[in-house]
Amino acid sequence: MSGEDAPAQQQNAVDQKQETKPAEEPKAEPPKTESAEAAATPAATTEKAPEEETFTYRALVLTGYGGYDKVKLQVKKGKPALKAGEVLVRVKVCGLNFADLMARQGLYDRLPSPPVTPGMECSGVVEAVGEEVTDRKVGDKVMVLNRFGLWQEVAVVPASHTFLIPDGMSFEEAAALPVNYITAYLMLFDFGNLRPNQSVLVHAAAGGVGIAATQLCKTVKDVTVFGTASASKHEAISQGGVTHAIDYRTKDYVEEVRKISPKGLDIILDPLGGSDTHKAYNLLKPMGKLITYGAANMLAGQRKNLIAVAKNWYHQFSIHTLSLIQGNKSVCGFHLGYLDGEMELITQAMNTILDLYKQGKVKPRIDSTWHLEQVGDAMRKMQERNNIGKMILTTEPMPEEEKKEEAKKEDKKEDKKKEEKKKDDKKKDDGKKEEKKDDKKKEEPKKEEKKEEPKKEEEKNEEAKKEEK
């Protein structure tokens, strides 16, 4: 998942070749010899350069922090160069993750500053291999895990960051597997040490990590899974293995858990942060484990919400080691983005997950597939918590008919924005008119008072004259 060198890796390698010029021809042409033929080689090299320059590919680029429109589809020129140990992958499908939403708002520190191509997982076919690559070949179908840079049609990554797709697995499933399932697996089994007859709380149980965690819990005997999700998703998560579904929007999930498990829970996976982390810690049984792996509560609205961010930091969970000792509890922090130097650990986890897939014990659930042109709508759906399962982006170009439909939708959105602006302006104008009316009403009594004042003065003078008489 390193990807730190990705921008450099994807620079056009043609420039250096273009700088090499053929030697100047002598006035008297000598007879052709081996050396003369060798001298012609640079000319052949320069002929190839225009071909490489014509190589183009589409990429999604985060142009700045903010709303959904900040991720734009661009065309890049020049074939990416390969270093030793790297492979070039023709990307078929990409995975969309909650971290990508946070990255768009500038809340994810593992993504470099814009302009940058996001994307931490994808699937595709190996098109070229660099030197020292022995375990991958051209034509291999692979899934890829990287820090960033995978939301594009071609990507250069270390060969060690790729995993062979097993027979029977689709490109969509392969792109849905790495981030969610490795995250869930390492939390439950490496940190959580999940065992039979234990209980687990999974927040956002209808999301990618939530579904992965639920499926992995069911690979262990008699594990009770509590899952939070909106009521409309309860049927889906119950069918997927959640024992007790809780509607977090209408009920206090802490109270609901206590009704069923008064002593608390063995493992809690917390992607929320803030005050919810405090609740999670208090819900643990003795010897229980809290594994916090996100701060979704900071995400409120299209753009960075400073109030939500400040509120989350204000309620940030902290605890003294003596409290941990006395409570017989543990708190763990997990961030897959900071494990990019631990590929041996990640590979072991992925191999186990792939074995479980082959046995039919885990299977990614795909919510929907979107074209790269539709990334804004896809992110909106995920951020509004309307997905059940994985959101997928396909690099397959959008058909012209669909493009026209999208253009119509955009036009309608623009028209709607204009109408709303007109309404807002009208409200403001009406408000100003009302204010003017109110001001006039307030002024009228004052005018009357001013008119009355001379009369009162005259009356006072008359009264004074009468008194004198």
Side-chain angles (χ1 to χ4, degrees), residues 254-296:
V254 174
E255 289 181 7
E256 295 302 307
V257 169
R258 290 287 185 195
K259 286 177 187 175
I260 300 162
S261 182
K263 287 185 177 180
L265 303 171
D266 295 296
I267 300 172
I268 297 175
L269 307 182
D270 168 39
L272 305 175
S275 59
D276 285 288
T277 309
H278 290 268
K279 292 178 182 179
Y281 183 79
N282 293 329
L283 259 180
L284 290 176
K285 284 180 179 178
M287 301 303 291
K289 303 173 188 73
L290 165 61
I291 304 157
T292 179
Y293 68 103

Side-chain angles (χ1 to χ4, degrees), residues 25-278:
E25 292 182 7
K27 291 178 183 177
E29 189 176 353
K32 287 186 178 179
T33 61
E34 286 183 10
S35 59
E37 288 174 9
T41 306
T45 307
T46 53
E47 285 176 11
K48 290 181 183 178
E51 292 177 17
E52 292 192 13
E53 277 189 341
T54 59
F55 186 95
T56 62
Y57 57 99
R58 299 181 306 149
L60 287 171
V61 177
L62 178 66
T63 57
Y65 299 130
Y68 306 118
D69 60 337
K70 291 297 183 181
V71 182
K72 301 183 186 299
L73 186 58
Q74 299 179 358
V75 176
K76 293 186 178 182
K77 293 181 180 180
K79 194 168 187 177
L82 282 174
K83 291 181 180 178
E86 294 179 336
V87 296
L88 176 70
V89 177
R90 173 66 61 173
V91 178
K92 299 289 187 181
V93 181
C94 314
L96 175 60
N97 292 287
F98 208 81
D100 297 314
L101 305 182
M102 300 192 78
R104 195 193 71 239
Q105 294 191 4
L107 297 171
Y108 185 76
D109 58 359
R110 296 303 281 163
L111 186 74
S113 300
V116 62
T117 293
M120 294 175 278
E121 61 188 345
C122 72
S123 60
V125 180
V126 175
E127 268 197 0
V129 296
E131 295 178 4
E132 300 177 15
V133 176
T134 57
D135 55 349
R136 295 289 178 268
K137 64 183 185 299
V138 173
D140 280 347
K141 294 179 179 180
V142 294
M143 60 187 82
V144 183
L145 182 67
N146 211 47
R147 252 185 66 196
F148 64 95
L150 301 183
W151 283 2
Q152 50 190 4
E153 289 181 323
V154 294
V156 171
V157 295
S160 59
H161 290 212
T162 67
F163 310 92
L164 292 173
I165 297 175
D167 293 338
M169 180 183 283
S170 66
F171 282 118
E172 287 77 14
E173 287 179 330
L177 206 72
V179 171
N180 294 159
Y181 280 80
I182 291 173
T183 295
Y185 182 87
L186 292 176
M187 288 195 298
L188 287 170
F189 295 104
D190 285 59
F191 269 148
N193 190 26
L194 181 63
R195 301 190 302 280
N197 301 307
Q198 290 193 322
S199 54
V200 181
L201 172 60
V202 178
H203 283 293
V209 174
I211 286 174
T214 302
Q215 291 180 1
L216 290 168
C217 282
K218 303 316 287 183
T219 64
V220 180
K221 189 178 178 183
D222 296 328
V223 171
T224 302
V225 180
F226 292 81
T228 64
S230 54
S232 61
K233 301 176 183 179
H234 282 192
E235 184 179 352
I237 64 174
S238 296
Q239 289 174 355
V242 170
T243 318
H244 302 289
I246 302 169
D247 183 3
Y248 68 97
R249 292 183 177 179
T250 59
K251 295 180 180 179
D252 183 339
Y253 65 85
V254 174
E255 289 181 7
E256 295 302 307
V257 169
R258 290 287 185 195
K259 286 177 187 175
I260 300 162
S261 182
K263 287 185 177 180
L265 303 171
D266 295 296
I267 300 172
I268 297 175
L269 307 182
D270 168 39
L272 305 175
S275 59
D276 285 288
T277 309
H278 290 268

Side-chain angles (χ1 to χ4, degrees), residues 301-319:
Q302 273 199 59
R303 295 169 183 80
K304 185 192 289 187
N305 186 322
L306 293 176
I307 294 172
V309 173
K311 188 177 178 182
N312 193 77
W313 278 106
Y314 180 77
H315 291 292
Q316 193 71 21
F317 178 77
S318 62
I319 191 166

Side-chain angles (χ1 to χ4, degrees), residues 298-363:
M298 284 201 292
L299 204 64
Q302 273 199 59
R303 295 169 183 80
K304 185 192 289 187
N305 186 322
L306 293 176
I307 294 172
V309 173
K311 188 177 178 182
N312 193 77
W313 278 106
Y314 180 77
H315 291 292
Q316 193 71 21
F317 178 77
S318 62
I319 191 166
H320 198 280
T321 51
L322 285 176
S323 298
L324 289 173
I325 294 169
Q326 292 162 1
N328 286 295
K329 298 176 181 180
S330 65
V331 179
C332 309
F334 181 84
H335 194 310
L336 185 60
Y338 282 94
L339 286 178
D340 49 351
E342 303 295 331
M343 287 311 297
E344 187 177 345
L345 173 68
I346 287 171
T347 301
Q348 288 173 358
M350 179 57 87
N351 289 339
T352 304
I353 292 162
L354 291 176
D355 286 340
L356 291 171
Y357 175 87
K358 292 171 188 175
Q359 295 168 31
K361 292 182 178 180
V362 300
K363 184 179 177 66

